[in-house]
Amino acid sequence: MSDTQWWQSGVIYQIYPRSFQDSNGDGVGDLAGIERRLDYLADLGVDALWISPIYPSPMVDFGYDVADYTDVHPVFGTLADFDRLLAAAHSRGLKLLLDFVPNHSSDRHPWFLESRASRSSPKRDWYIWRDPASDGGPPNNWISDFGGSAWEWDETSGQYYYHAMLREQPDLNWRNPELKAAMLDAMRFWFDRGVDGFRVDILWHMIKAAAFPDNPVNPQWHAGMADKERVLQLHSTDQPEVFDIAAEMRALADSYGNRVLIGEIYLPIERLMAYYGKRGGGVHLPFNFQLIEAPWHARTLHAMVAEYEAALPPGGWPNWVLGNHDRPRIASRIGLAQARVAAMLLLTMRGTPTVYYGDELGLSDVLIPAADVQDPRELREPGLGFGRDPARTPMPWDGSPNAGFTSGHPWLPLNADWGERNVDVERRDPGSMLTLYRNLLLLRRAHAALSVGALRLIEVDGDVLAYERVHQGERIVIALNLSAEAHPTSLPTGRLLLSTVTEDYVPNMLAPNQGVILAAEFA
């Protein structure tokens, strides 16, 4: 493993900072709260924490509308608090990644205020401005990801500006060399402070087709689908020039040594692979989100893994994700019993896993009363199920008031079962989801085959996914029953290392919802 980078063998843990731990009673999590819980993360067995945006922001989109790329929002603390958190994380052997939001800023950012001031502003071209169409309307038919036209009329200057997200989030113009230099300087600011990498938000959006043609109409769109899907984002995303930007970001990261860049990219596999870059000059890990939406059937997952592994370019390192701050929690999607199986899948596949905070407890989506809804996407397209609040609720730590998250009023409601589903209870329960995650993470560290070994899929019958991991004379077999029925199966004989259920493992028979890890002999 001497040639393995930490981000290849390690496990990343995503923290939504508003919801992890509040230290001052305002009901919102903060940096001091994260620092307070670092021992929990070290004990859990993860290797790095990724923190969603902490920059100064009007919080229209809860931090993804950045008003200053080189400071900390007061609700989260100060730069001094950040420096203390970073030092405390490093002292425990934990890496720290920040979210970088390069596609757009807040409309309160000084850059945009200057850009908006007049057509002759030195920063006018730092954003995307266009004249109206011949009918006086928007320049083209592009649709915001939050619904409605992606163009906002500015009366003062008589032009439209482009926003792929909310109108309060104008897109930056990465074709402007001064803007690009300023954004790379912002990344450099945090690298100089010692951060270990970035997750790069909506990387595939960053460049738009230069001529701004209409996007093709989606012939499959129907009521009930998101408004943005009325058109196919052919010209507004995934343009070839974005790879040059990714390469510059990569060169910057590599100049600081053992750093990592993770790209948020929701694209089909064949397009996703391009973000590894030519000869590995793109982002280190283009996020692989397939498990978040894949039908939960063994044959589907078998084919998906095979396709993904075959598509990886030479030197490309895989990665896997079960959930994040934008998507429903895995326990809500497939149920608690199968969420245990999914945990074993995530932490035994070849590649870097990312664990979303609370999934290690089996948290489900929380029903948010209409009066408590915070998410602008839900407020703009209510009732369609696109709201993200249910997966962003506070972390339940113990049985004290507000589950130990805050001494004040939580910014979102807690999970209804927080009295039983919290860290303190699950830490002491040998059959809990938390104990399963800790045991899985211990196994990854104890067996290099599970962290860096080669992967080979095993053909088995029924709704069972099976594969083996091999490294330097060690062979480990994983078999996952994706159904609630017992399944006979023909597997190599081996010593049981871990099971997702308390039932005994009977060779060649998987109990309902059972996943097993076996130390096997070579055939």
Side-chain angles (χ1 to χ4, degrees), residues 107-127:
D107 63 352
R108 308 282 184 87
H109 196 295
W111 295 347
F112 186 72
L113 297 177
E114 186 175 342
S115 179
R116 196 175 197 172
S118 76
R119 291 198 185 194
S120 60
S121 165
K123 287 188 172 57
R124 183 69 170 185
D125 193 47
W126 285 35
Y127 293 83

Side-chain angles (χ1 to χ4, degrees), residues 1 4-11 47 317-318 347-353 441 443-454 469-471 474 476:
M1 296 176 63
T4 302
Q5 303 293 322
W6 69 263
W7 48 267
Q8 292 176 304
S9 60
V11 177
D47 300 273
W317 188 252
L347 295 173
T348 59
M349 286 296 294
R350 190 176 85 94
T352 305
L441 289 163
L443 277 178
R444 275 185 65 90
R445 289 194 171 180
H447 299 274
L450 288 176
S451 57
V452 297
R469 304 292 309 280
V470 177
H471 183 74
E474 183 177 41
I476 294 181

Side-chain angles (χ1 to χ4, degrees), residues 45 137 212 273 284 375 414 470 502:
F212 292 88
M273 294 299 146
H284 302 84
D375 181 20
L414 287 153
V470 177
T502 56

Side-chain angles (χ1 to χ4, degrees), residues 71 148 239 299 383:
D71 205 348
Q239 299 301 298
R299 300 283 68 75

Side-chain angles (χ1 to χ4, degrees), residues 15-23 29-41 49-52 54 76 85 88-89 92 94 96 397:
I15 291 174
Y16 195 68
R18 296 181 66 88
S19 296
F20 199 61
Q21 178 66 63
D22 174 27
S23 70
D30 47 43
L31 296 178
I34 296 173
E35 182 182 353
R36 174 181 161 192
R37 298 298 185 179
L38 287 177
D39 286 339
Y40 166 76
L41 298 178
L49 51 150
W50 149 36
I51 306 175
S52 294
I54 56 172
F76 299 126
L85 169 62
R92 291 166 173 78
L94 295 167
L96 192 151
W397 294 101

